[in-house]
Amino acid sequence: MPAALAFEDVTLAYPGAPQPALEGATFSLGEGDSICVVGPNGGGKSTLIKLALGLLRPSSGAVRVFGESPRAACGAVGYMPQSLHFDPQFPITVRDVVLMGRLGNALKPGPFGRADREAAERALARVDLAGAGKRRFSTLSGGQRQRVLIARALAGEPRLLLLDEPTANVDQTVEEQFHATLRELAGEMTIVLVSHDLGFVSGWVEHVLCVNRTVHIHPTSSIDGKTLREIFGADIVAVRHDHDCPPGEHIHH
């Protein structure tokens, strides 16, 4: 069975940049694995997510999603950004936002069909927003908006869920609720979460992917307070890298 997500000696260099954004990145996630991606600002975390989404192509090496190129496998991937930028005066409903997650599943252009609407309702029910489809998105609280964005990612019925710092702009209560939702999803799909809040994810994520131009995988249990200060306090990844997974191996035991 192919890995859910595999980076094979991936290097990406932006034109004119003094050094690559990612260099020699190699790791592999099995289906159903959950991992938290951490690292300093500018260390390559967002670049890694864009490569997994097929928005960028590596300068060298290969990215595989379920054995295919990211673009070929886009229907199997759900994505949740930090926030949704929208005009609060625009009368978009919760259902409209969630249905955006079905665009990658469309076989041909046209209006959303019954299967799309049913998938949207199931996704809203998964995040405890059943019946909220007709509400204006702009009227929701910050926590409710985050749940709608999860529902949008789930509407496409993904096997791989990518989340790029989804709790960066919410308070602690909302963040706790958000991670409770992800904990319920863990195991049903592969989850890659970019986050600065290891305290919240340590209960359900077994491994941490440290990204600072290069990448290294660690068991979550090996990340202690000193390491957290080194990663976040000084805005640098400075941890032991003697527990790396060998290239080509999945992270699960």
Side-chain angles (χ1 to χ4, degrees):
M1 178 180 296
L5 176 63
F7 276 52
E8 302 166 4
D9 196 22
V10 170
T11 292
L12 186 138
Y14 292 108
Q19 61 183 11
L22 281 179
E23 186 170 12
T26 297
F27 66 92
S28 178
L29 309 183
E31 193 154 4
D33 288 334
S34 296
I35 193 165
C36 182
V37 181
V38 301
N41 293 332
K45 302 187 300 297
S46 291
T47 295
L48 185 147
I49 293 295
K50 290 176 181 177
L51 285 164
L53 288 168
L55 300 177
L56 295 174
R57 293 185 178 181
S59 305
S60 62
V63 180
R64 294 284 182 264
V65 178
F66 300 108
E68 300 182 293
S69 70
R71 292 190 178 186
C74 65
V77 180
Y79 169 63
M80 181 180 173
Q82 288 188 21
S83 60
L84 179 65
H85 299 287
F86 71 104
D87 182 348
Q89 300 303 316
F90 188 73
I92 190 169
T93 68
V94 167
R95 182 179 291 113
D96 292 334
V97 173
V98 177
L99 281 169
M100 293 177 188
R102 297 291 296 178
L103 292 173
N105 297 64
L107 298 178
K108 58 182 179 180
F112 291 109
R114 179 178 177 180
D116 298 313
R117 293 190 296 272
E118 290 177 347
E121 291 301 326
R122 287 195 300 271
L124 283 170
R126 288 300 307 268
V127 298
D128 296 323
L129 286 175
K134 294 182 179 180
R135 295 181 61 182
R136 287 271 293 268
F137 185 73
S138 60
T139 67
L140 301 183
S141 67
Q144 290 172 325
R145 291 182 187 179
Q146 293 299 93
R147 283 189 279 159
V148 170
L149 294 182
I150 296 179
R152 183 180 69 168
L154 296 179
E157 301 172 309
R159 296 164 61 194
L160 170 64
L161 183 60
L162 304 173
L163 306 102
D164 191 0
E165 299 195 48
T167 60
N169 301 305
V170 298
D171 60 32
Q172 181 173 330
T173 299
V174 171
E175 188 168 6
E176 290 173 348
Q177 295 169 345
F178 177 84
H179 284 293
T181 300
L182 290 184
R183 190 178 296 111
E184 295 176 2
L185 296 172
E188 297 181 25
M189 61 191 71
T190 302
I191 297 177
V192 178
L193 169 66
V194 178
S195 177
H196 288 296
D197 300 297
L198 282 177
F200 284 110
V201 305
S202 60
W204 60 276
V205 171
E206 293 186 354
H207 290 80
V208 175
L209 183 68
C210 296
V211 181
N212 190 7
R213 197 162 59 88
T214 59
V215 302
H216 301 272
I217 289 178
H218 302 270
T220 305
S221 58
S222 72
I223 306 295
D224 56 18
K226 179 176 182 293
T227 300
L228 289 176
R229 288 191 296 273
E230 290 172 338
I231 293 175
F232 302 121
D235 196 29
I236 186 171
V237 177
V239 297
R240 290 174 57 196
H241 291 303
D242 54 357
H243 297 292
D244 299 347
C245 291
E249 286 192 12
H250 293 167
I251 64 171
H252 60 272
H253 300 295

